[in-house]
Amino acid sequence: MIYLDNSATTFPKPDVVYDFMTDFYRKHGVNPGRSGFDAAIETEGVVWDTRKMLTSLFNGDDPNRLTFSYNASDSLNMILQGLAVSGDHVITTMLEHNSVLRPLYHLQMSKIIEVTYIPFDEHGYVNPDDFKKAIRNNTKMVVVNHCSNVIGTIQPLAEIGKICKESGVLFVVDCSQSAGVIPIDMKAMGIDVVVFTGHKCLMGPTGIGGSYVMEGVPVKITRFGGTGVKSAQKTHLEEYPYHLECGTLNIIGVAGLHAGLKWVLEQGIDRLHENEIKLWDKLRLGVQKIENVITYCAKSIENQNPVLSLNIKGFEAGDVGTMLDVDYNIACRTGLQCAPLVHTLLGTDKIHGTVRLSAGPFNTEEQIDFTIQAIEEIASIRREVVASSKTSGVNSL
Ligand SMILES: Cc1ncc(COP(=O)(O)O)c(C=O)c1O
């Protein structure tokens, strides 16, 4: 299989991730933070180490404020519902994933908040000035997807963060697609909360994600339960990390994330990105030469992640995905990719979305050449059918 669905989850993971998870769970699969025996303390050590590595990745200060959850969707629910209060106004973008949109729709439909959706331009980028114009007296927060999971464009966080800081508005960033492949500096970019998922560019397994919340950001506790400490207390603990964590952590997930992030840092974030974007550029340039192939917001490698959305005129995206899978053993994702407003703005909502091809660290130039060839062959089917219908007088497409 040629795996070009790395935006959904990176696959495969580096061998060290599989090895470390197996070894760790055999030797340290015990509950951390609850007991004083050696294995529990060693397990807590890996958890703490992972908090520290992620805190430093985002340029936060306090590893306790790096909290773990199941995934980005889980943390976005806690953050957005924990920050919003009745009468708030929230600004977000049309690039968001349903992990942001649905919690906001829920709050909007419950008449708790009002939401403004900022569009992106023809190249796939939001304009920071639009946020400035949209800010009102009751604007509580701006929520932005750092990198689109449909078109791969990387948004100007520092400029938006500056506007938020000047206006006293909180800035929440969904870095599901960027953490591990694009640098994120919460302080330099004026970010109050980052939310990440472990199973994409951080190279961890599924079922682990989290957030980093800057000091003083008023996230209400929306989940209550066991923390392993202060068990006689009736209220959930205010202090971080307990503030946003309850119950036993996904220890094996944390271990895998630990190994994944370590691997990413050893490889170098910039080098990983450089290699992947080279593949994206080759793919983009290759398919853009093919008659009847339309690519979306794929202009240059500047501020871009290796995610390419395309369609072939005359075909449903889903059918192209099936042909790539069945005839060429190429794995991709088709449809709306959980980001419906991107398609509304591209106009691809009416044609059932796009074919999304997303490269990862283990793809090769040969795989990209093969994929370009596959798309050329699929596109040529239509050309042949159109040509034969012209000669036979039958309009079959
Ligand atoms: C931009 C973006 N945000 C959020 C998510 C949700 O991540 P998870 O499924 O790990 O919760 C995704 C997953 O595709 C994503 O691409």
Side-chain angles (χ1 to χ4, degrees), residues 88-364:
D88 279 346
H89 170 239
V90 175
I91 303 171
T92 191
T93 80
M94 292 184 76
L95 289 157
E96 303 311 304
H97 189 275
N98 271 337
S99 301
V100 164
L101 294 178
R102 284 185 174 153
L104 292 182
Y105 288 149
H106 168 74
L107 291 163
Q108 198 177 8
M109 288 190 279
S110 309
K111 307 226 177 314
I112 295 170
I113 60 166
E114 290 176 314
V115 185
T116 300
Y117 300 88
I118 303 287
F120 52 91
D121 66 16
E122 75 269 34
H123 301 306
Y125 300 95
V126 291
N127 180 347
D129 283 344
D130 289 347
F131 292 83
K132 201 179 215 167
K133 288 182 205 142
I135 288 174
R136 307 178 191 162
N137 288 338
N138 62 337
T139 304
K140 165 66 79 54
M141 61 181 143
V142 164
V143 190
V144 174
N145 179 4
H146 190 190
C147 170
S148 166
N149 61 306
V150 179
I151 46 178
T153 48
I154 293 161
Q155 303 308 314
L157 292 189
E159 288 90 328
I160 302 169
K162 186 164 178 280
I163 291 166
C164 290
K165 282 282 149 303
E166 285 165 1
S167 318
V169 169
L170 295 171
F171 188 26
V172 178
V173 176
D174 172 7
C175 61
S176 297
Q177 292 287 341
S178 56
V181 79
I182 303 288
I184 297 156
D185 182 331
M186 291 183 77
K187 286 182 203 142
M189 293 170 162
I191 302 170
D192 294 290
V193 182
V194 287
V195 174
F196 62 95
T197 200
H199 63 100
K200 297 186 196 272
C201 305
L202 292 168
M203 303 310 285
T206 51
I208 189 77
S211 63
Y212 186 96
V213 177
M214 284 289 196
E215 188 98 37
V217 177
V219 182
K220 295 186 296 287
I221 297 173
T222 49
R223 280 189 199 170
F224 310 84
T227 52
V229 292
K230 299 190 183 167
S231 296
Q233 187 173 310
K234 284 191 176 160
T235 52
H236 193 83
L237 273 63
E238 283 295 332
E239 55 265 41
Y240 281 80
Y242 311 111
H243 197 93
L244 292 178
E245 286 177 3
C246 65
T248 301
L249 284 179
N250 174 7
I251 285 304
I252 189 162
V254 173
L257 179 52
H258 184 278
L261 177 52
K262 225 170 129 203
W263 181 86
V264 165
L265 296 175
E266 276 159 19
Q267 300 296 310
I269 288 181
D270 292 344
R271 196 167 72 87
L272 285 170
H273 183 257
E274 197 182 307
N275 290 343
E276 292 172 22
I277 207 66
K278 255 192 221 154
L279 297 180
W280 177 87
D281 207 31
K282 186 175 176 62
L283 179 62
R284 164 187 86 99
L285 293 171
V287 300
Q288 282 175 346
K289 286 192 196 113
I290 303 171
E291 199 185 330
N292 292 328
V293 170
I294 307 157
T295 57
Y296 299 92
C297 302
K299 193 170 151 257
S300 84
I301 57 168
E302 284 304 303
N303 296 316
Q304 180 70 44
N305 247 6
V307 185
L308 184 70
S309 255
L310 60 85
N311 268 311
I312 303 178
K313 275 188 206 157
F315 284 106
E316 284 280 326
D319 291 340
V320 174
T322 305
M323 284 186 261
L324 286 172
D325 174 21
V326 175
D327 299 335
Y328 300 94
N329 205 10
I330 296 170
C332 68
R333 170 90 190 270
T334 61
L336 302 184
Q337 297 101 5
C338 294
L341 299 185
V342 176
H343 293 278
T344 307
L345 215 50
L346 294 177
T348 42
D349 54 337
K350 296 172 198 73
I351 54 169
H352 306 125
T354 57
V355 178
R356 182 187 72 185
L357 301 159
S358 47
F362 297 111
N363 290 122
T364 62

